Amino acid sequence: MATSSSSPNLPTLPSELLLHILSFLDIPDLLTLTRTSHPLRGLSLDPLLHIARLHRASISLSHSLPLRPSLADLMAHRIYITRTTLAARSLGRNLIRIKLNRQLLKRPSAEELVQLGVLPRECWSKNGGGLGLAPALVE
């Protein structure tokens, strides 16, 4: 079994080495680490640590961003929808609803359809209006 003097533990390492190790951690992991000890919390708040993390992130982003599809490609595949597109869709749906409502108002009544011979006479009675169902559906 190793003694504490032969194997150094994390807080006994030099600050520069700890900062380098911490620069590889994600933010949630850094947050968890800050709750373990006061010296590690102080190191996790060091501006040099975050400068190194930002530098590493900018390098990885500079390699990844050119591979990203353009906004026009995303819009063509309907992955990214702008507010203008959403407004145009809403306006189009409203126009369709208005046209359908106007067409429904123009349709003939059941009485007119009986007079034209489209519906059988059993579908319309003069005293109570339309029954609403064709006789074949009732039987």
Side-chain angles (χ1 to χ4, degrees), residues 18-20 22-31 34 40-58:
L18 284 173
L19 284 174
H20 183 70
L22 296 181
S23 70
F24 291 98
L25 296 178
D26 291 330
I27 295 294
D29 298 329
L30 272 175
L31 181 62
T34 63
L40 290 176
R41 176 175 168 72
L43 283 176
S44 70
L45 297 175
D46 192 325
L48 292 175
L49 169 67
H50 297 287
I51 289 171
R53 293 184 79 254
L54 286 173
H55 180 67
R56 185 172 288 115
S58 69

Side-chain angles (χ1 to χ4, degrees), residues 7-114:
S7 63
N9 56 14
L10 198 59
T12 61
L13 293 174
S15 296
E16 294 81 10
L17 183 58
L18 284 173
L19 284 174
H20 183 70
I21 293 170
L22 296 181
S23 70
F24 291 98
L25 296 178
D26 291 330
I27 295 294
D29 298 329
L30 272 175
L31 181 62
T32 303
L33 187 70
T34 63
R35 296 176 180 157
T36 60
S37 73
H38 290 290
L40 290 176
R41 176 175 168 72
L43 283 176
S44 70
L45 297 175
D46 192 325
L48 292 175
L49 169 67
H50 297 287
I51 289 171
R53 293 184 79 254
L54 286 173
H55 180 67
R56 185 172 288 115
S58 69
I59 290 172
S60 66
L61 281 176
S62 66
H63 294 295
S64 302
L65 284 179
L67 303 175
R68 185 177 72 170
S70 68
L71 182 59
D73 291 338
L74 293 175
M75 290 174 63
H77 290 95
R78 296 184 182 199
I79 295 172
Y80 181 82
I81 300 174
T82 62
R83 289 182 185 170
T84 306
T85 306
L86 288 174
R89 283 184 181 178
S90 177
L91 182 61
R93 288 184 184 124
N94 287 338
L95 289 174
I96 290 170
R97 188 180 69 231
I98 290 169
K99 285 181 181 182
L100 284 174
N101 284 335
R102 287 180 180 167
Q103 292 297 323
L104 285 174
L105 292 174
K106 292 180 184 177
R107 73 179 175 181
S109 67
E111 182 182 13
E112 291 172 308
L113 291 174
V114 168

